[in-house]
Amino acid sequence: MNKSLQLIIRLLCVAAFLWTTPNGVRAEADVWDGTSKTKPNGWKAGDATLTISTAAELAWVAETANNGTVTGSGSETGFEGCAISLSCDIDLNDQDWTPIGTEDNPFQGNFDGNKKTIKNLTTSGQTTDGGLFGRMAAGSIKNLGVIISADGIAGIRSAGGLVGSIGSGSTISIEDCFVSGGPIKTVQSKDGEGAYTGGIVGQTVYFLSS
């Protein structure tokens, strides 16, 4: 093995170590009980930043976005204009996860995983779009790892490891993310539509004008 190849392998090992073990120490992942939803202490609608440190707080983000709750200083919903950051690893504990964002109330914020990992993600397929995020209409996701449970994730129309579907006309940025595990599947088509599955994103929704 030549010296150049050895150097490349070593650099790859260092990069993997830095991802999985920031500062040389990996804190134990916060484990979700499947029901708890907790509003982060001190956060209020209109705040430009939000730090998520527990699985229950992440579940609260999903509930808040999916209910169409106002999250901005005006009428903004879906955390539009808000920068959300993850401060620790999250273990969803093979509990049935409700994806963040729906067809009627999509997620629109900017989510920074800070090189943390969300593991043991599973969805039962009772939602239109399966994934960690269901439907996105704006915003971004970066620096995030997702490990899917052996039970897998599913959606009625689409399913993706990171995002089930991206809305028509949306501009979404996804960078420095990975998805592993599986399976990922759609359980059936909805109203005669196709069924879409992807490792990162299930589908990009588009409409043809009549």
Side-chain angles (χ1 to χ4, degrees):
M1 184 181 296
N2 63 46
K3 292 182 178 180
S4 296
L5 182 56
Q6 288 178 335
L7 178 59
I8 291 171
I9 292 173
R10 287 173 183 173
L11 289 174
L12 288 172
C13 290
V14 169
F17 177 80
L18 290 175
W19 174 279
T20 58
T21 316
N23 300 322
V25 178
R26 192 66 171 182
E28 185 176 349
D30 185 76
V31 181
W32 191 40
D33 62 10
T35 58
S36 296
K37 302 175 182 68
T38 304
K39 179 180 178 180
N41 187 38
W43 189 85
K44 63 183 184 301
D47 285 353
T49 61
L50 170 61
T51 300
I52 299 300
S53 58
T54 69
E57 289 177 350
L58 186 65
W60 171 85
V61 168
E63 180 180 61
T64 301
N66 297 353
N67 287 345
T69 303
V70 171
T71 53
S73 56
S75 59
E76 299 89 352
T77 61
F79 295 94
E80 180 180 358
C82 183
I84 301 175
S85 61
L86 195 61
S87 65
C88 70
D89 292 331
I90 298 293
D91 183 354
L92 294 178
N93 198 26
D94 299 322
Q95 302 292 325
D96 188 17
W97 174 251
T98 299
I100 304 170
T102 68
E103 187 170 359
D104 294 328
N105 297 303
F107 179 76
Q108 304 184 76
N110 297 296
F111 193 95
D112 185 352
N114 282 320
K115 294 189 176 180
K116 302 298 188 294
T117 300
I118 296 174
K119 65 180 181 178
N120 294 323
L121 167 68
T122 184
T123 65
S124 64
Q126 299 303 307
T127 58
T128 299
D129 304 304
L132 178 65
F133 292 83
R135 173 71 69 91
M136 287 187 69
S140 65
I141 305 173
K142 64 181 181 180
N143 303 322
L144 180 63
V146 173
I147 302 175
I148 300 169
S149 162
D151 292 333
I153 60 173
I156 295 172
R157 179 181 59 202
S158 64
L162 202 60
V163 185
S165 68
I166 293 173
S168 175
S170 303
T171 300
I172 306 295
S173 171
I174 297 176
E175 58 179 304
D176 296 329
C177 296
F178 76 81
V179 174
S180 65
I184 303 172
K185 62 183 180 180
T186 50
V187 293
Q188 65 183 51
S189 60
K190 179 183 178 183
D191 300 329
E193 298 177 0
Y196 306 90
T197 303
I200 298 291
V201 177
Q203 73 158 331
T204 299
V205 180
Y206 65 94
F207 299 97
L208 298 176
S209 57
S210 57

